[in-house]
Amino acid sequence: MASLNVGNLGEYLREQRRNAQLSLRQLADAAGVSNPYLSQIERGLRKPSAEVLQQVAKALRISAETLYVRAGILDAERDRDEVETRAVILADPTLNERQKQVLLQIYESFRKENGFGTEAEAGIGAETGLDGRTESDAAADDPRTVGGSDADPRRTAG
């Protein structure tokens, strides 16, 4: 069987599995894939789907995005900074899982705010202005609006 140019992915997976001190069988069980299939992935003989990569990443407690880049599913140049940032957060042993997820959510919200979020990159979601902000973002920052609705600045409370 010829190599499918996923050797880099296989080598990386093997390295991550060994760092996690897992046998091939243990990782296969944790990821819900067969032992021979995982072995073929590590040897560069099979190209796994994004779903399988996600399961393996979860079992290894590493970033699925990193595996997607190595498998050629994501564009490495465009996504490298985001992937590396996510990988560093997920790999930090001083943070618990909840803290990691909260940090990732904050990071993603800042990326979206600056026009680089997943939805903005894919061209999905709210229309944005030249500054990359949606109408609702601008309304929230406008002192003339309260709670997202226009308020008459001449009215006083009470």
Side-chain angles (χ1 to χ4, degrees):
M1 195 179 275
S3 175
L4 298 173
N5 196 23
V6 289
N8 186 28
L9 169 66
E11 291 169 17
Y12 181 76
L13 278 176
R14 183 178 295 119
E15 179 184 322
Q16 294 302 309
R17 177 176 58 78
R18 288 179 177 162
N19 287 343
Q21 299 179 339
L22 293 172
S23 70
L24 191 64
R25 186 173 308 280
Q26 288 170 321
L27 178 56
D29 288 342
V33 298
S34 74
N35 189 37
Y37 181 63
L38 186 57
S39 174
Q40 290 174 344
I41 293 170
E42 281 193 359
R43 291 181 288 142
L45 301 176
R46 296 273 185 183
K47 184 173 182 177
S49 67
E51 185 177 315
V52 168
L53 288 175
Q54 185 175 18
Q55 291 170 242
V56 170
K58 190 174 185 180
L60 287 170
R61 296 179 181 232
I62 62 173
S63 165
E65 288 88 354
T66 302
L67 296 184
Y68 295 159
V69 169
R70 293 198 179 253
I73 295 171
L74 286 179
D75 179 16
E77 289 301 316
R78 188 190 70 180
D79 299 319
R80 181 176 295 144
D81 291 340
E82 179 185 2
V83 168
E84 288 177 359
T85 302
R86 290 175 175 275
V88 168
I89 291 170
L90 291 169
D92 189 331
T94 64
L95 300 175
N96 65 38
E97 290 304 312
R98 187 185 71 65
Q99 292 168 332
K100 290 176 186 180
Q101 291 307 310
V102 169
L103 269 177
L104 288 173
Q105 289 171 354
I106 292 169
Y107 173 67
E108 186 61 32
S109 73
F110 284 145
R111 285 182 51 81
K112 285 180 183 176
E113 182 178 310
N114 293 331
F116 294 101
T118 306
E119 291 179 359
E121 290 170 352
I124 302 169
E127 293 294 323
T128 58
L130 294 176
D131 61 356
R133 293 162 26 120
T134 65
E135 287 182 32
S136 59
D137 290 337
D141 291 341
D142 189 335
R144 295 173 298 168
T145 60
V146 176
S149 63
D150 290 334
D152 186 348
R154 293 170 289 182
R155 282 194 171 180
T156 57

